Amino acid sequence: MNQWPHPLSYKFKKKGKFFSEKKLNFIEDFFSKKYKVKYALLCPSTRSSINLILTYLKFNRSNTVSIPKWSSHCLFESIGAITNISVGNFEKSNCVLSVHKWGNTYKFNSKNSKAIIIEDSADCLPNEKYLPFENNSKFEVISLPKIIASFSGGIILTNNKKFYKYGKRKQKENRGLGIEQSKKKYYSLVTKKIKIKEWFYDESFNTSFDKNTIDNIFSCIEFFDKNLKIIKLRQKLIKKIIPNTNFDKKRLGPCVIFSKKKYPSFKKIFELKHFDFSKNLKNQKYEKCFIFPIHFRISDKIFKRKIAQMKKAYKR
């Protein structure tokens, strides 16, 4: 069971250089409304989104970006391509990546007033009490493959008009790289004909895309509300079985998280990961946990089977 949705099928068009500006504007308007911000800037991926922000802020090897423990490899590879990375050293870094892991809102209060905060809501859908820029930041990023199952795409949420104009200029630069990266992502993530790592490094510097990226995202937008609805419904079903399960009111994530200490009987049912249940970025009190993927790409058949296994294990 994948913790994030697997990309939906898509027929790749070889002549995909010129994309529809109308579709691009529709995509950006859609996400700006859903996440309650003035501007939503489409980028090739979340990796490139973060690096576009850092490039705009003129980050280089003299700076440091702090990320949480147990961060995914993509953060190390993308951020590390242009600047230095520190793990957990939030008070002494020039930038802090506040990761809202699996749709859980993390708080971050810092004495380091000069640090720039980027909210990483990569796999987060907006819940009923969602507000952007949780930790007084100016930027928030989301990953479209993780919420609508496109094969590419990231969104930067911002109210900063100057940055938005900068990003719109960057969308039109180096189209050749954008086309090549789109092709590599498609053939590694959808058809699996090439190794997935082949597109990783160059994506750190990619700011553009092609017709395939735009068309694919445009066709997947309908799954935004479907995913949101399914996750909410499945959360309710799980809460009926385990009443003390707490879900975030601000964000919706692709998984339900269970502490290994509290639910050791789930060992043979769910995948083992690490999570900080304090949801305070500065604490870094990670412990072993089990994750139960409940996003829309998990079929009802598989979900019901896992629910039955969980119910049986919970009663022991």
Side-chain angles (χ1 to χ4, degrees):
M1 292 176 74
N2 292 327
Q3 58 185 302
W4 297 301
H6 186 272
L8 291 151
S9 61
Y10 172 78
K11 191 174 181 180
F12 197 84
K13 302 171 186 70
K14 291 184 178 180
K15 293 183 179 181
K17 183 177 180 181
F18 300 105
F19 57 81
S20 166
E21 289 286 344
K22 189 176 180 179
K23 286 183 180 179
L24 171 59
N25 292 336
F26 178 87
I27 292 165
E28 293 185 337
D29 288 344
F30 177 89
F31 287 102
S32 67
K33 289 172 184 174
K34 290 292 185 181
Y35 287 88
K36 305 174 185 178
V37 296
K38 289 182 180 178
Y39 310 106
L41 180 75
L42 182 65
C43 297
S45 63
T46 313
R47 294 166 181 256
S48 60
S49 300
I50 294 170
N51 279 14
L52 182 65
I53 296 167
L54 295 175
T55 303
Y56 171 76
L57 296 170
K58 296 182 169 47
F59 268 58
N60 54 37
R61 293 293 176 192
S62 68
N63 304 108
T64 305
V65 176
S66 187
I67 63 176
K69 291 179 182 178
W70 298 102
S71 291
S72 62
H73 63 85
C74 62
L75 292 181
F76 287 92
E77 290 168 346
S78 56
I79 296 171
I82 63 171
T83 189
N84 301 297
I85 299 170
S86 174
V87 178
N89 190 17
F90 303 117
E91 298 297 343
K92 294 183 180 179
S93 295
N94 305 104
C95 176
V96 173
L97 200 67
S98 179
V99 179
H100 302 291
K101 194 167 185 176
W102 294 317
N104 289 272
T105 302
Y106 274 66
K107 290 288 184 181
F108 178 65
N109 296 311
S110 176
K111 296 176 183 177
N112 183 5
S113 59
K114 293 182 180 180
I116 294 154
I117 300 171
I118 299 173
E119 312 277 356
D120 185 344
S121 295
D123 54 13
C124 302
L125 289 160
N127 208 348
E128 56 203 51
K129 293 186 178 180
Y130 171 81
L131 288 173
F133 318 123
E134 178 70 30
N135 296 300
N136 298 315
S137 65
K138 293 182 179 179
F139 308 100
E140 188 160 348
V141 296
I142 55 175
S143 170
L144 299 186
K146 292 178 180 178
I147 61 173
I148 61 171
S150 56
F151 72 81
S152 185
I155 293 283
I156 300 175
L157 307 170
T158 186
N159 289 329
N160 187 321
K161 188 175 182 179
K162 186 178 179 181
F163 169 77
Y164 180 69
K165 286 184 175 181
Y166 169 83
K168 294 303 287 182
R169 291 197 302 271
K170 286 291 181 179
Q171 285 177 343
K172 297 173 183 177
E173 292 181 7
N174 206 347
R175 284 281 176 87
L177 178 60
I179 293 167
E180 186 62 27
Q181 286 296 100
S182 178
K183 190 188 302 180
K184 285 181 179 179
K185 280 181 272 187
Y186 173 78
Y187 284 111
S188 65
L189 298 171
V190 181
T191 67
K192 300 187 183 298
K193 289 183 178 179
I194 64 172
K195 292 180 180 179
I196 196 167
K197 290 185 178 180
E198 286 194 28
W199 62 271
F200 282 0
Y201 181 74
D202 288 337
E203 191 68 6
S204 302
F205 311 99
N206 188 19
T207 61
S208 188
F209 28 72
D210 67 346
K211 178 179 172 62
N212 288 292
T213 297
I214 297 296
D215 287 354
N216 177 239
I217 293 169
F218 186 78
S219 67
C220 288
I221 270 185
E222 66 178 284
F223 299 110
F224 183 92
D225 289 324
K226 180 181 178 179
N227 195 19
L228 192 147
K229 185 179 179 180
I230 287 174
I231 290 172
K232 280 190 172 184
L233 177 62
R234 289 175 173 178
Q235 283 183 348
K236 286 180 181 178
L237 293 171
I238 290 166
K239 200 165 180 67
K240 283 183 180 179
I241 300 168
I242 308 176
N244 62 350
T245 308
N246 293 316
F247 295 111
D248 199 285
K249 297 294 184 184
K250 296 180 179 180
R251 288 169 172 80
L252 282 169
C255 308
V256 181
I257 307 152
F258 300 106
S259 167
K260 185 176 181 290
K261 291 178 183 177
K262 290 184 179 180
Y263 304 99
S265 59
F266 291 174
K267 181 180 179 180
K268 293 182 179 180
I269 307 171
F270 302 122
E271 187 178 359
L272 187 67
K273 294 285 185 178
H274 292 82
F275 186 73
D276 180 0
F277 286 92
S278 75
K279 298 183 187 180
N280 186 321
L281 197 65
K282 288 171 71 175
N283 287 348
Q284 297 287 285
K285 292 180 179 179
Y286 283 83
E287 62 178 87
K288 291 180 180 179
C289 70
F290 298 113
I291 61 164
F292 181 5
I294 59 170
H295 53 77
F296 79 108
R297 292 288 275 156
I298 302 296
S299 69
D300 285 338
K301 183 179 179 180
I302 292 173
F303 176 73
K304 287 175 182 177
R305 186 174 73 234
K306 288 294 179 181
I307 279 285
Q309 291 173 340
M310 186 187 77
K311 200 172 184 178
K312 187 177 179 180
Y314 180 62
K315 288 181 177 179
R316 287 177 191 169

